[in-house]
Amino acid sequence: MSTTGERFEHAVNIMKRLRAPGGCPWDREQTFDSIKPYTLEETYEVLEAIDNRDWAELSGELGDLLLQVLFYSEMAEEQASFSIDDVLDRLSTKLVDRHPHVFGDVKADTPSEVLRNWEALKAEERKKKAQTVDVTDPESNAPKNGGKQSAVQPPDARHSVLAGISSAMPSLLEAYKLSSRAAQAGFDWPDVEGLFDKLSEETDELRQQLKEYPAPGPRPQGRGVAGSGRQYVPEDLRNRLEEEVGDLFFVVVNIARYLSLDAESALRKTNRKFRRRFRWIEERLLESGRTPEQASMEELESLWLQAKHQEKQQ
């Protein structure tokens, strides 16, 4: 029976073989950039398996996600940047360093205490990383005036509380992380009612902008080819509407954060619920040889209510 370490080493060696001369032509031509979309796809498939509580599928999806780590590591080793050993060493070091209540003398008896320690350690890591950049980066803001720095320095993204939050992640997740990091610095609503007040405020601001919307006002685009019959909206107004809708999303994400909910997961589950109910409508219409395009809005709404009722009975 192989050990876990032997199994891991076997997987690493398979990846090396695929990338080696005489290996797989497709694997050999991949780059860091070409693999990125697959990494995102595999991540979402892991989340879907968890949402479905499909544990057999999850083990396979986690393997696919691990493949991404092996792929990146092998390509990095080929260009002498780092290896899978460096990845594992950094992971082990980080786990030990961020759990001083397990591997050190720090006391943390509750999950909230652990989280506070974790965030404090991450903040210290960001601070050290920023200091390292200042020392090694020739483009960093070097002290002037004979080496003396003034009391007030201009803002520097490397020293920001928000440093390290990627803008490449899904927007709902980015909003969650940005607001969480700001909240740790004390920039937060005192209670959830303040968030609902903010939601009302942002809704009012959107409605105010809609007063400038061309007559007869926003309307459904209707059936047929997507975008056909779309009203012309001045670009400046469209930009302002986009900003206000973005503000609404941001407040809703903060409500989810305040309630210790994952906004991305909540919306994903609602998407699946909509998909499930709309398919039920399609099935009912298909029984009479029709499609949703051939049904009236009143019938679709009635079927939607039936779909909701049918789910509650299950």
Side-chain angles (χ1 to χ4, degrees):
M1 179 68 70
S2 300
T3 66
T4 300
E6 289 171 339
R7 289 184 172 116
F8 188 84
E9 186 173 0
H10 182 54
V12 171
N13 289 332
I14 290 174
M15 189 71 251
K16 287 183 179 295
R17 179 72 181 88
L18 291 173
R19 289 279 298 180
C24 174
W26 185 89
D27 288 297
R28 283 177 51 77
E29 75 173 3
Q30 299 311 307
T31 66
F32 285 93
D33 290 322
S34 69
I35 290 297
K36 285 193 300 185
Y38 299 103
T39 306
L40 189 60
E41 178 182 339
E42 299 299 350
T43 301
Y44 281 121
E45 289 180 357
V46 166
L47 298 180
E48 183 168 9
I50 293 173
D51 286 343
N52 293 337
R53 294 300 188 263
D54 190 341
W55 308 125
E57 183 68 15
L58 179 59
S59 65
E61 297 300 347
L62 288 173
D64 292 342
L65 189 58
L66 177 59
L67 169 61
Q68 307 302 306
V69 177
L70 298 180
F71 218 137
Y72 288 124
S73 299
E74 176 59 27
M75 290 189 291
E77 185 171 7
E78 292 167 5
Q79 65 183 31
S81 297
F82 61 85
S83 69
I84 187 64
D85 292 334
D86 298 307
V87 174
L88 293 171
D89 286 344
R90 291 190 65 171
L91 172 60
S92 296
T93 299
K94 182 180 292 185
L95 287 173
V96 171
D97 289 347
R98 291 189 178 179
H99 292 83
H101 54 289
V102 177
F103 302 103
D105 300 325
V106 174
K107 185 177 177 58
D109 296 325
T110 66
S112 59
E113 290 176 348
V114 171
L115 184 59
R116 280 196 296 271
N117 289 340
W118 179 277
E119 294 298 343
L121 288 167
K122 288 202 295 184
E124 186 62 27
E125 288 175 6
R126 290 193 296 270
K127 182 179 178 181
K128 289 180 179 178
K129 184 180 293 186
Q131 290 172 343
T132 301
V133 171
D134 284 344
V135 172
T136 61
D137 184 1
E139 299 298 325
S140 63
N141 296 330
K144 299 179 181 179
N145 302 323
K148 297 180 180 179
Q149 290 183 307
S150 60
V152 179
Q153 294 295 316
D156 187 331
R158 293 179 305 236
H159 299 278
S160 170
V161 168
L162 307 179
I165 299 177
S166 172
S167 58
M169 67 179 69
S171 298
L172 288 180
L173 179 57
E174 182 186 8
Y176 181 92
K177 287 187 171 293
L178 289 171
S179 59
S180 295
R181 192 75 66 76
Q184 292 160 17
F187 188 70
D188 202 2
W189 283 267
D191 53 52
V192 74
E193 287 303 319
L195 274 164
F196 284 115
D197 291 341
K198 185 64 176 176
L199 185 63
S200 296
E201 175 188 328
E202 297 297 349
T203 302
D204 290 341
E205 290 180 5
L206 175 58
R207 285 176 169 163
Q208 186 65 32
Q209 296 293 339
L210 286 175
K211 291 181 178 179
E212 300 181 28
Y213 205 92
R219 294 292 186 274
Q221 292 180 20
R223 301 178 176 182
V225 179
S228 61
R230 179 179 295 174
Q231 289 177 272
Y232 169 76
V233 180
E235 184 177 358
D236 176 63
L237 176 59
R238 185 178 297 278
N239 290 337
R240 281 182 278 140
L241 292 173
E242 183 179 54
E243 181 177 349
E244 297 299 344
V245 170
D247 290 344
L248 275 174
F249 275 123
F250 196 81
V251 176
V252 171
V253 169
N254 273 276
I255 292 175
R257 174 183 61 80
Y258 220 92
L259 299 175
S260 298
L261 299 173
D262 178 1
E264 191 79 28
S265 177
L267 182 56
R268 189 165 56 248
K269 289 178 180 178
T270 295
N271 290 342
R272 291 205 179 99
K273 179 171 62 178
F274 180 89
R275 187 193 299 267
R276 187 172 61 247
R277 291 176 179 176
F278 196 81
R279 282 177 176 169
W280 189 90
I281 291 175
E282 289 179 310
E283 290 169 1
R284 299 293 77 74
L285 289 170
L286 186 60
E287 291 170 356
S288 60
R290 293 180 298 154
T291 65
E293 291 83 0
Q294 297 169 318
S296 67
M297 188 60 227
E298 290 74 15
E299 184 178 9
L300 291 175
E301 177 65 22
S302 175
L303 286 170
W304 178 264
L305 294 176
Q306 292 176 47
K308 289 177 61 177
H309 178 73
Q310 181 263 347
E311 280 193 356
K312 293 178 179 179
Q313 299 304 310
Q314 294 180 347

